[in-house]
Amino acid sequence: MVSVRGMVSLERLALSDREVEDINRAVERYRDTFTGVILTVDTVGRVDEITPSTVLVFAVELQTGGDLVVKSWSRKVPREKMVSQLVGYMGKAAGEYKDFKRFPDVKQNFKTLYI
């Protein structure tokens, strides 16, 4: 359900077991809201090795069961904080999406909800 795109591969991110568990818990928690998670991860400049302090640029796209997607703006974050930012964003996005769905006449005009 989670895919990674961009210049940084999943292997280069070297997620710890705990980070994988955190992502899996978030995906499970919001599985009724989001059907897919696309993480786009790039580096700032050329980076040979990714360390916890390496600054990454990442954006999240959360797919819903309908025509609407929920996206984040790109943000710079140290590698060590990326997973916590992702998990926090998913919670915020789920709340915003549920609020948005309360107005069925509005969602017909939007294909992407940025938060």
Side-chain angles (χ1 to χ4, degrees):
M1 196 169 139
V2 179
S3 64
V4 178
R5 297 181 181 166
M7 295 183 346
V8 179
S9 68
L10 184 59
E11 292 78 27
R12 284 188 70 201
L13 286 175
L15 298 173
S16 69
D17 290 344
R18 179 179 173 151
E19 289 174 321
V20 171
E21 289 171 5
D22 290 347
I23 292 170
N24 285 340
R25 271 195 297 277
V27 167
E28 178 67 22
R29 185 177 310 128
Y30 303 113
R31 74 169 190 249
D32 293 336
T33 306
F34 303 119
T35 59
V37 180
I38 300 171
L39 250 177
T40 303
V41 185
D42 295 312
T43 58
V44 177
R46 181 184 157 99
V47 175
D48 293 326
E49 181 182 347
I50 296 179
T51 66
S53 62
T54 301
V55 176
L56 302 172
V57 177
F58 90 106
V60 181
E61 178 179 316
L62 302 168
Q63 300 166 335
T64 65
D67 293 337
L68 184 75
V69 295
V70 181
K71 291 185 177 183
S72 73
W73 299 105
S74 293
R75 62 184 79 182
K76 292 181 183 178
V77 63
R79 162 60 188 91
E80 65 190 350
K81 296 186 179 188
M82 188 190 76
V83 172
S84 65
Q85 290 272 327
L86 168 63
V87 170
Y89 176 77
M90 287 181 71
K92 181 177 181 181
E96 293 290 330
Y97 179 67
K98 286 178 183 175
D99 285 345
F100 184 77
K101 282 181 29 175
R102 292 184 327 168
F103 305 100
D105 56 325
V106 174
K107 71 180 176 184
Q108 295 174 5
N109 297 320
F110 291 90
K111 297 294 179 192
T112 304
L113 177 63
Y114 281 94
I115 63 165

